[in-house]
């Protein structure tokens, strides 16, 4: 599931951390990745985006595995880390 932050955005996401979150996803489960960086339940949404234009990104795990979700909220690979944190 690809998600790009709109380039014309007046708001920039908050950098939750400059490293990915290693998380175990369970096959068949849907998770909501925080795209705004304000959630207290990183890397998942807790509703903190309500005062922003950002929306959580739904991810449904195809298999049980450990994935690396973006912590800086600047990845061009949606919810998944692409190393963008190393340039911030």
């Amino acid at each position: 599931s690809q998600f790009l932050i709109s380039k014309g955005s007046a708001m920039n996401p908050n950098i939750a951390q400059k490293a990915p979150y290693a998380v175990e996803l369970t096959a068949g489960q849907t998770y909501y990745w925080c795209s705004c960086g304000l959630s207290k339940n990183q890397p998942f949404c807790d509703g903190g985006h309500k005062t922003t234009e950002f929306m959580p990104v739904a991810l449904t795990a195809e298999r049980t595995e450990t994935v690396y979700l973006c912590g800086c909220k600047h990845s061009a690979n949606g919810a998944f880390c692409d190393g963008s944190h190393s340039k911030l």
Side-chain angles (χ1 to χ4, degrees):
S1 35
Q2 188 67 10
F3 176 78
L4 296 174
I5 295 163
S6 66
K7 298 295 182 210
S9 171
M11 301 178 112
N12 288 314
N14 185 59
I15 297 169
Q17 71 175 25
K18 290 185 180 181
Y21 291 94
V23 294
E24 175 86 9
L25 301 184
T26 303
Q29 292 270 348
T30 299
Y31 301 87
Y32 294 89
W33 174 73
C34 167
S35 67
C36 71
L38 299 175
S39 174
K40 304 267 189 274
N41 189 34
Q42 290 294 332
F44 302 111
C45 178
D46 71 355
H49 64 274
K50 290 188 179 15
T51 60
T52 75
E53 63 188 44
F54 296 99
M55 295 297 294
V57 177
L59 305 169
T60 301
E62 293 178 12
R63 59 187 170 274
T64 298
E65 65 181 332
T66 298
V67 297
Y68 295 88
L69 298 181
C70 176
C72 74
K73 313 304 178 184
H74 287 77
S75 175
N77 195 23
F80 299 94
C81 179
D82 71 353
S84 289
H85 60 272
S86 64
K87 300 178 197 86
L88 298 175

